[in-house]
């Protein structure tokens, strides 16, 4: 049985989800393209679709099926009773595979989409630093948390929309075991807000790229 689609119009008079599980989408074609471009030292990714339309890779679909098998192995009282997903294909595809046949409502919410990189979309960090050298200096001055790429979103922007979603979920999914399928930046923002941090540290390991372009 295919997942049901339910509107988010109705709300519960009570507050507080019983459980919130955050699931990042499986490996995407964008993840593969980004890795290959960096290994080759290229400035751009070999992708001809917009970010929202990037599909899961073969490995990503296997990962989604692994989540599905895990959910099938759980007793009914531990399975999700509600599912929310980003509309981006890689996240929604992960959710649809994971909950297939479980007869659980699947809600698509654009507010849990990935961070918008604006003019940086489709570029590796090598390309960003070559095409936007002044932005690197501006980012250092403003700080990673508040820095907004041209036409895109800052981490703060993502945290603000996540905060709104969290407040709604406390009412609309009161007592539910809620699973949310989303993206790296959005899930990190959920973790920050759930810990009630006032301003998260956007740190990275020493070996990581200076401009994160995860898809």
């Amino acid at each position: 049985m295919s997942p049901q689609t339910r509107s988010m119009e109705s709300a519960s008079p009570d507050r507080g989800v019983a459980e919130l599980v955050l699931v990042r989408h499986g490996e995407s074609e964008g993840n593969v393209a980004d890795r290959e471009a960096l290994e080759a030292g290229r400035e751009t990714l070999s992708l001809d679709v917009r970010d929202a339309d990037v599909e899961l890779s073969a490995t990503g679909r296997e990962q989604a099926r692994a989540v599905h098998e895990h959910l099938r192995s759980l007793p009914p009282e531990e399975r999700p009773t509600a599912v929310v997903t980003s509309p981006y294909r890689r996240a929604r595809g992960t959710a649809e595979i994971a909950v297939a046949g479980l007869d659980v409502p699947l809600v698509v919410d654009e507010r849990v989409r990935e961070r918008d990189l604006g003019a940086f979309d489709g570029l590796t960090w090598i390309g960003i630093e070559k095409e936007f050298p002044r932005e690197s200096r501006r980012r250092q001055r403003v700080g990673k948390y508040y820095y907004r790429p041209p036409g895109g979103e800052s981490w703060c922007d993502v945290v603000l929309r996540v905060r709104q979603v969290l407040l709604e979920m406390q009412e609309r999914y009161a007592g539910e075991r809620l699973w949310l399928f989303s993206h790296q930046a959005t899930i990190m923002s959920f973790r920050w807000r759930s810990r009630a941090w006032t301003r998260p540290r956007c740190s990275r390991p020493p070996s990581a790229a200076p401009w994160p372009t995860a898809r």
Side-chain angles (χ1 to χ4, degrees):
M1 182 176 181
S2 60
Q4 303 174 23
T5 300
R6 178 180 295 177
S7 170
M8 291 188 74
E9 295 302 317
S10 61
S12 167
D14 301 317
R15 293 181 63 83
V17 296
E19 179 182 52
L20 174 61
V21 177
L22 304 172
V23 184
R24 187 188 179 216
H25 62 79
E27 181 189 69
S28 71
E29 294 290 354
N31 297 142
V32 175
D34 187 60
R35 183 169 63 246
E36 292 177 347
L38 286 173
E39 289 174 352
R42 297 197 302 267
E43 299 171 12
T44 60
L45 278 63
S46 300
L47 288 174
D48 58 359
V49 297
R50 61 178 185 156
D51 190 32
D53 296 330
V54 173
E55 300 278 3
L56 290 171
S57 68
T59 298
R61 290 190 291 274
E62 290 179 7
Q63 291 168 339
R65 286 192 287 270
V67 177
H68 173 75
E69 292 304 318
H70 169 69
L71 289 174
R72 297 276 295 187
S73 70
L74 295 176
E77 64 273 14
E78 294 181 14
R79 293 178 182 177
T81 56
V83 175
V84 173
T85 180
S86 158
Y88 283 24
R89 289 188 178 181
R90 55 191 181 276
R92 183 168 183 171
T94 302
E96 290 175 341
I97 293 171
V99 304
L102 297 182
D103 194 24
V104 59
L106 178 62
V107 174
V108 177
D109 192 326
E110 72 282 353
R111 294 172 300 176
V112 299
R113 67 189 183 278
E114 178 61 292
R115 178 186 173 210
D116 188 346
L117 296 178
F120 295 170
D121 186 39
L123 298 176
T124 63
W125 66 265
I126 299 171
I128 293 171
E129 293 195 336
K130 180 176 181 179
E131 294 193 26
F132 300 93
R134 295 180 61 183
E135 289 300 313
S136 180
R137 294 191 295 272
R138 186 167 74 89
R139 182 172 180 259
Q140 290 177 0
R141 183 177 69 254
V142 174
K144 181 176 177 181
Y145 181 64
Y146 292 110
Y147 172 76
R148 181 182 292 127
E153 290 181 296
S154 67
W155 281 92
C156 184
D157 294 328
V158 180
V159 170
L160 287 173
R161 58 177 160 92
V162 161
R163 180 171 64 181
Q164 180 187 23
V165 173
L166 270 173
L167 289 172
E168 286 191 18
M169 285 179 174
Q170 296 303 311
E171 296 183 355
R172 299 189 177 190
Y173 297 103
E176 301 274 8
R177 295 185 299 277
L178 175 63
W179 281 49
L180 186 142
F181 290 78
S182 189
H183 310 264
Q184 180 182 16
T186 313
I187 288 175
M188 290 178 69
S189 298
F190 266 97
R191 294 180 64 190
W192 289 332
R193 290 309 308 169
S194 65
R195 293 175 181 175
W197 291 2
T198 55
R199 184 170 70 87
R201 291 179 56 202
C202 300
S203 59
R204 63 182 177 87
S207 60
W211 294 90
T213 55
R215 287 167 172 78

